[in-house]
Amino acid sequence: MGKIGLDNVKLNYNDNGTVYNALDGLTFDVKEGEFVSLIGSSGCGKSTALSVLSGLRDPDSGTLLIDGQPTTGTGKNRGVVFQHYSLFPWMTVIKNVEYGIRQVFPDKPKKERLTEAKKYLEKVGLADFVSKYPFQLSGGMQQRAAIARTLAMKPEILLMDEPFGAIDAKNRVVLQDLLLQILEESDEKKTVIFVTHDVDEAILLSDRILFMDQKKISKEIAVNFPRPRNREELIDKEAYRTLRKRVVNLFYYESDEKSDVEGGEGI
Amino acid sequence: MIQKLHRVLPHILFIILIALVLSPSVEGTGQYLPFLVVCIAIEMSLIFNFKKNVANDIGIIVYIFLIIWEYFTAKVGLKNAMLYPAPENVFAIFPKDYEKILEGVFSSLRLMFAGFGLALLFGVSLGLLVGLSNRTSSILMPIVKVISPIPPIIYSPYAVALLPSFRAASIFVITLTIFWPIFMNMILSVQQIDRKIMDSARTLNIQRGSMIWHILLPYSLPGIINSLTVSVSTSFLVLTAAEMIGATSGLGWYIKYHSDFANYSKVVFGIIMIGVIVTLLNVLISLIRKILIRWK
């Protein structure tokens, strides 16, 4: 039994009378402590899948399963980091984190909540920016703060929707390494589902990559590199390059459902 | 060269103005000291803002206006001198009549603040209530769209007749003037809240009370303050108009009362006073905005 999973989830969008199919029988299962990336071209349904997992949308049919139990709506067992605007612009960075903690631990005294918030902000390298407002921070720093808030709420499951998608290449690398490093820490071990369209990001971070096409999972690829992982070591490996090619090829062959792209021949 | 001239022009105009004020006037022109104080105050604020080009331009316009006013009323002497009071006479009103004037100002301001308070209280809370419930808003919005465009000033003669005191009537009319924009603003901002912020709030599993207090209210605050900025002038217009109809104090009453006695120095001074008060209120609101909205 997995920690979190979807069972034959179908979802339609209704846009002014026109019905769009957003998810068409999506099924997968993620084990406890596993890091799984959902990748695919834009419009494949990966962000919609994450919104079902987070409980922001309930499926039209099929079930969201957490610890084997059918679940609807949002819940404290799941923390979400979005691409934009996870933080509330009218709260300082530390207030944002403290406010998140208060939702989960309302009985904790304010002083402790602030100490806890500070601890997590230090973890993501924002110790000197705690009393800034989000608009005073760069996009990368805002995402650091959003990650700190989500981690401080101690969810069992971390859901991330292209969290580094809007960040420049250099800072994206820094944030990926930071996320790797934090999740290695024993007390922050979490089940993670990470939506991205960046192949390198998916390989670096994940234990398993689920490739989505036509509103469902079309391919599943295990990433068996040992942890802790080091970016420089990893990209020099022959196995990394083979795997990368294999994943990239999925994007080119995506519409041809019958094609077997394993091994990556053909390009 | 021209730039340099532009720099010193307002100060040259100031000296001309002062010389003009101090030169002999036609009969019936009163004390020049209060007007002189006003001129010096303008010059001081110009010197204080000398770095801003626009201050220079404004200074030139203001001085030219004052010179023309001073020249034609106090020095040349127009035919209907009573209708065109000299600036000396206008500004001399304040030291003579300041008790009555300040009493009027405070009486007007008290009514304004009462109206602001009530409008904020009802506008925000009812706006939240209606905005949060789709059913209520779909029932009320068509009705509101008919009632809200009626200019509240229209109610004032009826309100003066209907309500027990003039105070109650003017508070009612001011409240209504400010209420509609705040109420509509609140409904819109609750219903059209940025989906990203809403999603973020929902994934945090925020309780309803905290949702209102920590998310919806701060999210709507800039809109509320913006609509206050707009309605402060309108509500002052409404108030002074109402005071002209039925009050026994206040700036509107002051102007109406003295125009009935053809005392136009006092009328013009009252008008200038209203400009000053509205400006001060606007400064107050932008100060409040600066304090409350540090996050933009």
Side-chain angles (χ1 to χ4, degrees), chain B residues 211-229:
Chain B
M211 188 75 174
I212 289 172
W213 192 247
H214 294 108
I215 309 296
L216 292 175
L217 277 181
Y219 178 81
S220 320
L221 198 60
I224 293 173
I225 293 184
N226 279 345
S227 77
L228 274 187
T229 317

Side-chain angles (χ1 to χ4, degrees), chain B residues 122-123 126-127 130 144 178-188:
Chain B
F122 287 113
L126 293 177
V130 174
V144 164
I178 310 169
F179 170 80
W180 288 121
I182 291 178
F183 178 66
M184 301 296 252
N185 212 301
M186 203 64 213
I187 293 175
L188 278 185

Side-chain angles (χ1 to χ4, degrees), chain A residues 47-59:
Chain A
S47 284
T48 314
L50 203 84
S51 69
V52 171
L53 289 163
S54 63
L56 287 174
R57 276 196 203 91
D58 289 327

Side-chain angles (χ1 to χ4, degrees), chain B residues 172-285:
Chain B
F172 169 75
V173 175
I174 295 168
T175 305
L176 216 57
T177 312
I178 310 169
F179 170 80
W180 288 121
I182 291 178
F183 178 66
M184 301 296 252
N185 212 301
M186 203 64 213
I187 293 175
L188 278 185
S189 100
V190 170
Q191 286 183 340
Q192 300 176 354
I193 185 166
D194 192 337
R195 230 201 57 214
K196 292 171 195 137
I197 286 184
M198 207 55 201
D199 280 354
S200 180
R202 282 177 61 203
T203 58
L204 292 188
N205 299 290
I206 299 167
Q207 302 287 313
R208 202 172 174 82
S210 182
M211 188 75 174
I212 289 172
W213 192 247
H214 294 108
I215 309 296
L216 292 175
L217 277 181
Y219 178 81
S220 320
L221 198 60
I224 293 173
I225 293 184
N226 279 345
S227 77
L228 274 187
T229 317
V230 178
S231 46
V232 66
S233 312
T234 333
S235 59
F236 210 76
L237 169 103
V238 169
L239 171 64
T240 43
E243 283 173 343
M244 285 176 148
I245 296 170
T248 49
S249 66
L251 283 172
W253 166 82
Y254 186 86
I255 292 169
K256 176 78 172 71
Y257 179 81
H258 291 292
S259 76
D260 286 346
F261 289 96
N263 191 341
Y264 293 109
S265 300
K266 290 194 174 180
V267 172
V268 173
F269 187 78
I271 292 169
I272 293 173
M273 233 18 222
I274 288 179
V276 172
I277 301 291
V278 173
T279 308
L280 287 180
L281 284 175
N282 277 322
V283 169
L284 182 73
I285 289 179

